[in-house]
């Protein structure tokens, strides 16, 4: 040691680690090895995870990366003959099998890297799709454009609600959730809106509604990525 | 690796676990003596072990199970390195040479980290586990007791003993050096 002998606490401070520099590639390798999909599936899962965390990174809010990937995935799902007509949530979207078509051929998809942490270059380099369900058409391009805009607005709306909650403006946040639902009745961020509503109710001290809404959420979404968070808000319910 | 027959729910849970807990797994491996060069590969092994079990785990139990795997895999890794070191006569097995030269400050920081890794490797596993989670992962004692499914008092006691033993080992280290 060049600056004297450090004590245990100094060693601990030196030992704190951030994250792997090869995190993206490593996670993508795991996805591929376990048959969970490629870079697009990983990116969508990361977006879902980011949206479910309290401190939403800026790049995830209304970013063109979301528009690009989620929009492309939406097109893939919508064009598939077996696809469900409605996408309930981002996590269900991620769980779908139809995310595998490679993104580079997505209609009107810009090839610019958007976020500093996720590069479009890192997206899967699988061979071009041959499925009939993945044929670029004018309809597909149109669907993509509309969906991309909608998703950006929806994400911005969720972000706005979250900001109100952070500012402890719970009543205002609750109003914003209602407005959000009216504006995006078929949105893909319905789970996020529901969780924020529960959080706003908790902030307002409305324990009865917090518990009832929270339990309803868990019943309706038993495998949600938000489950732990909602369970945390329901700790007082059984007391 | 043979293709796993996972249901859509299991696949969704596995994806979520990879994204949510990758950093936790990677840091756990590093703290328990896995070299930076190997940590990403070993982290991959950890999730491969988790994959077939994901359906049998309770919701929210993924992190605890992952840490169990991390502890076991890191212990195996250290044993493998020790055996290899005995064969090649490399001496100190836990000191991993830096592949690239680093500035002085970084080198000192790395040196301290490796020293702590070496001391942790000599600690009983139940103590090192609690120490890593509390001191290096900055989890609260309550969170650690829930994660490891041990009473809060046990977690507290283990942390205290871990700190005492590490401080003692560190003092011995300095006195030997001087």
């Amino acid at each position: 040691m060049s600056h004297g002998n450090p004590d245990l606490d100094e060693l601990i401070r030196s030992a704190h680690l951030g994250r792997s520099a090869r995190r993206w590639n490593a996670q993508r390798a795991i996805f591929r090895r376990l048959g969970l999909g490629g870079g697009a599936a990983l990116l969508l899962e990361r977006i879902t995870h980011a949206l479910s965390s309290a401190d939403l990174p800026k790049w995830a809010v209304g970013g063109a990366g979301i528009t690009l990937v989620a929009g492309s995935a939406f097109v893939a799902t919508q064009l598939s003959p077996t696809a469900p007509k409605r996408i309930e949530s981002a996590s269900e979207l991620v769980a779908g099998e139809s995310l595998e078509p490679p993104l580079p051929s997505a209609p009107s998809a810009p090839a610019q890297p958007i976020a500093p942490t996720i590069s479009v270059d890192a997206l899967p380099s699988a061979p071009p799709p041959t499925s009939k369900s993945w044929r670029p058409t004018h309809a597909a391009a149109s669907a993509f454009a509309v969906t991309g805009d909608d998703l950006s607005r929806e994400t911005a709306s969720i972000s706005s609600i979250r900001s109100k909650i952070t500012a402890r403006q719970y009543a205002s946040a609750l109003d914003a959730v209602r407005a959000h639902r009216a504006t995006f009745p078929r949105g893909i961020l319905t789970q996020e809106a529901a969780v924020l509503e529960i959080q706003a109710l908790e902030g307002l001290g409305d324990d009865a509604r917090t518990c009832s809404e929270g339990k309803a959420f868990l019943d309706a979404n038993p495998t949600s990525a938000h489950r732990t968070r909602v369970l945390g808000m329901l700790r007082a319910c059984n007391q | 690796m043979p293709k796993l027959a996972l249901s859509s729910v299991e696949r969704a849970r596995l994806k979520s676990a990879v994204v949510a807990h990758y950093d936790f797994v990677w840091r756990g491996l590093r703290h328990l003596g896995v070299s930076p060069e190997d940590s990403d590969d070993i982290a991959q092994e950890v999730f491969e072990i988790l994959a077939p079990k994901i359906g049998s785990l309770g919701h929210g139990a993924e992190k605890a199970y992952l840490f169990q795997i991390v502890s076991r895999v890191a212990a195996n890794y250290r044993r493998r390195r020790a055996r290899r070191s005995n064969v090649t006569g490399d001496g100190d097995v836990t000191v991993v040479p830096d592949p690239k030269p680093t500035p002085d400050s970084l080198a000192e920081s790395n040196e301290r980290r490796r020293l702590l890794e070496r001391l942790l490797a000599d600690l009983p596993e139940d103590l090192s586990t609690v120490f890593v989670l509390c001191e290096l992962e900055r989890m609260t004692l309550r969170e650690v007791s829930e994660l490891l499914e041990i009473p809060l008092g046990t977690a507290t006691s283990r942390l205290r003993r871990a700190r005492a033993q590490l401080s003692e080992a560190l003092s011995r280290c300095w006195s030997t050096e001087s």
Side-chain angles (χ1 to χ4, degrees):
Chain A
M1 301 295 153
S2 56
H3 299 294
N5 294 340
D7 62 14
L8 182 58
D9 288 320
E10 285 176 88
L11 285 191
I12 291 170
R13 276 195 292 278
S14 300
H16 284 142
L17 293 165
R19 58 172 65 144
S20 167
R22 290 174 286 162
R23 181 173 177 245
W24 168 259
N25 286 334
Q27 286 183 336
R28 190 175 54 170
I30 294 171
F31 264 52
R32 285 187 172 154
R33 199 161 166 83
L34 298 179
L36 301 176
L42 172 58
L43 184 51
L44 275 167
E45 189 60 42
R46 279 189 169 198
I47 290 167
T48 306
H49 181 69
L51 287 170
S52 70
S53 61
D55 50 344
L56 192 65
K58 282 183 182 174
W59 63 264
V61 183
I66 295 175
T67 309
L68 166 66
V69 178
S72 301
F74 182 87
V75 171
T77 311
Q78 291 299 300
L79 294 182
S80 166
T82 58
K85 288 297 176 194
R86 181 180 172 201
I87 300 171
E88 291 294 338
S89 72
S91 57
E92 287 174 26
L93 191 71
V94 171
E97 296 291 338
S98 55
L99 299 180
E100 286 312 298
L103 292 172
S105 59
S108 72
Q112 298 293 321
I114 306 300
T117 54
I118 299 172
S119 160
V120 171
D121 295 337
L123 292 175
S125 53
T130 54
S131 165
K132 287 176 187 172
S133 67
W134 187 255
R135 188 178 297 146
T137 62
H138 290 298
S142 170
F144 172 74
V146 170
T147 306
D149 286 349
D150 283 352
L151 185 61
S152 290
R153 287 194 300 116
E154 193 180 351
T155 309
S157 171
I158 289 288
S159 177
S160 163
I161 299 167
R162 201 186 303 274
S163 300
K164 291 183 197 303
I165 288 175
T166 304
R168 297 169 185 263
Q169 297 167 358
Y170 300 117
S172 174
L174 213 49
D175 290 341
V177 170
R178 288 191 199 104
H180 176 92
R181 286 200 176 120
T183 311
F184 305 102
R186 292 166 60 87
I188 67 164
L189 302 177
T190 52
Q191 285 193 23
E192 284 71 19
V195 173
L196 290 172
E197 182 182 32
I198 298 165
Q199 210 172 340
L201 289 168
E202 185 191 35
L204 286 170
D206 190 342
D207 293 341
R209 283 187 65 201
T210 302
C211 293
S212 64
E213 293 292 335
K215 285 173 181 168
F217 177 88
L218 293 175
D219 287 343
N221 307 284
T223 60
S224 170
H226 306 285
R227 183 180 172 81
T228 307
R229 192 166 150 209
V230 173
L231 279 172
M233 289 188 268
L234 299 185
R235 273 191 187 140
C237 291
N238 295 326
Q239 291 173 2
Chain B
M1 184 177 177
K3 192 170 171 59
L4 293 167
L6 298 174
S7 69
S8 60
V9 171
E10 289 168 346
R11 284 167 58 86
R13 283 184 68 190
L14 195 53
K15 286 178 182 179
S16 176
V18 173
V19 169
H21 303 310
Y22 183 84
D23 293 337
F24 173 74
V25 165
W26 182 84
R27 285 195 303 266
L29 291 168
R30 291 283 290 107
H31 291 316
L32 294 175
V34 177
S35 75
E37 300 79 39
D38 293 331
S39 294
D40 285 304
D41 290 340
I42 306 280
Q44 187 170 320
E45 283 179 27
V46 169
F47 284 99
E48 283 173 11
I49 296 170
L50 169 73
K53 307 279 185 193
I54 191 88
S56 59
L57 291 177
H59 284 287
E62 293 89 347
K63 193 174 182 181
Y65 187 66
L66 279 168
F67 195 75
Q68 285 176 24
I69 304 173
V70 164
S71 304
R72 206 170 59 231
V73 167
N76 289 341
Y77 174 89
R78 288 196 304 269
R79 274 196 292 274
R80 276 203 308 270
R81 282 187 72 93
R83 275 200 297 272
R84 203 160 61 217
S85 170
N86 286 339
V87 171
T88 59
D90 282 348
D92 188 344
V93 296
T94 55
V95 176
V96 181
D98 276 339
K100 297 173 188 171
T102 55
D104 285 349
S105 59
L106 185 58
E108 186 178 273
S109 172
N110 284 341
E111 201 179 332
R112 290 179 179 188
R113 187 179 301 144
R114 285 197 295 269
L115 172 60
L116 185 58
E117 282 171 13
R118 197 175 64 200
L119 298 178
L120 276 172
D122 291 337
L123 216 56
E125 194 175 320
D126 56 342
L127 302 190
S128 64
T129 299
V130 172
F131 182 87
V132 165
L133 293 173
C134 281
E135 299 286 12
L136 304 179
E137 280 298 309
R138 296 168 174 152
M139 291 171 72
T140 64
L141 275 165
R142 185 169 294 284
E143 287 170 335
V144 172
S145 69
E146 284 172 8
L147 186 76
L148 300 178
E149 295 178 340
I150 55 175
L152 183 59
T154 305
T156 309
S157 153
R158 285 183 188 176
L159 179 61
R160 196 172 52 238
R161 281 160 53 209
R163 285 192 61 98
Q165 290 189 25
L166 285 171
S167 296
E168 200 178 314
L170 192 57
S171 301
R172 275 200 307 272
C173 180
W174 298 141
S175 60
T176 310
E177 202 173 79
S178 61

